[in-house]
Amino acid sequence: MEKERIQKFELMMNKMRLIFSRIRGDLELPQGELAALITIAERSRRMESGENMSASTSDIAKHMGATMPATSKVIRNLSMKGYIRQVQSQYDRRVMHLALTEKGKAILDNEIYKRQDLMKGVLHKFGEEKTEQLLDLMTELLVLMEKEAEEKDD
């Protein structure tokens, strides 16, 4: 029974990922590059708001659960395409932070708009009460998954 629930959960998550991939349309970014761009944007935003957060290549790799070589390649590709730039840390000259360029912000805004447009209609049909319940449950599940993953890493 538990194995069937896990398989059903994984199947549903994969189907959601495929739906989001389908609405990407003509976006020329591979999924890994898009994920890195989103991560860089979020971490940069949080840094600017004063949180103790970094957007270095190693931080991005750790946050995404990717290897340093794979992340370095993604970062290089994003930089060559003009979506990100490196900024020297004001606290440590050896550290380079990653930041979105205007071109990077524009493509990310377009991608986020497409996703939000899809979800707006879906959540409206799903209903406010169910949506709140789902978000609460997903938040709880995510916290548990993160704790379990950390315990497995130790």
Side-chain angles (χ1 to χ4, degrees):
M1 183 70 153
E2 185 174 344
K3 184 177 179 180
E4 290 172 5
R5 282 195 302 245
I6 292 169
Q7 289 174 336
K8 185 176 181 179
F9 178 79
E10 289 175 341
L11 178 66
M12 288 189 310
M13 295 302 291
N14 191 47
K15 284 184 177 183
M16 285 182 180
R17 184 187 58 78
L18 291 172
I19 290 168
F20 278 125
S21 293
R22 207 169 49 211
I23 64 166
R24 294 176 69 219
D26 58 354
L27 186 65
E28 71 268 16
L29 286 179
Q31 189 66 34
E33 289 181 17
L34 177 61
L37 207 59
I38 291 169
T39 302
I40 292 166
E42 175 62 19
R43 294 180 78 82
S44 295
R45 184 192 61 74
R46 291 173 66 185
M47 278 174 53
E48 290 170 5
S49 70
E51 288 186 50
N52 188 15
M53 182 69 54
S54 179
S56 67
T57 302
S58 60
D59 293 318
I60 300 303
K62 184 177 179 182
H63 181 77
M64 291 177 49
T67 64
M68 275 299 290
T71 304
S72 293
K73 181 180 179 184
V74 166
I75 297 303
R76 225 178 3 264
N77 289 345
L78 289 172
S79 184
M80 287 182 355
K81 292 176 181 177
Y83 296 133
I84 63 170
R85 60 187 167 81
Q86 293 187 339
V87 180
Q88 193 171 40
S89 169
Q90 62 185 22
Y91 304 109
D92 186 344
R93 295 180 151 272
R94 298 169 295 175
V95 176
M96 297 299 282
H97 294 290
L98 304 167
L100 297 181
T101 62
E102 289 305 315
K103 183 178 178 182
K105 288 176 186 174
I107 199 163
L108 194 55
D109 286 347
N110 185 46
E111 175 65 17
I112 290 170
Y113 173 77
K114 285 181 186 177
R115 288 181 183 207
Q116 287 177 344
D117 192 45
L118 170 79
M119 291 308 297
K120 182 179 178 181
V122 169
L123 294 178
H124 177 74
K125 291 175 184 172
F126 198 56
E128 190 174 331
E129 186 176 329
K130 282 183 177 178
T131 298
E132 287 303 316
Q133 290 172 350
L134 177 64
L135 292 173
D136 289 344
L137 290 170
M138 288 178 72
T139 301
E140 185 177 340
L141 180 63
L142 181 60
V143 168
L144 291 171
M145 288 176 74
E146 287 175 338
K147 284 181 183 176
E148 187 73 20
E150 284 176 16
E151 290 174 9
K152 299 279 187 215
D153 288 342
D154 294 339

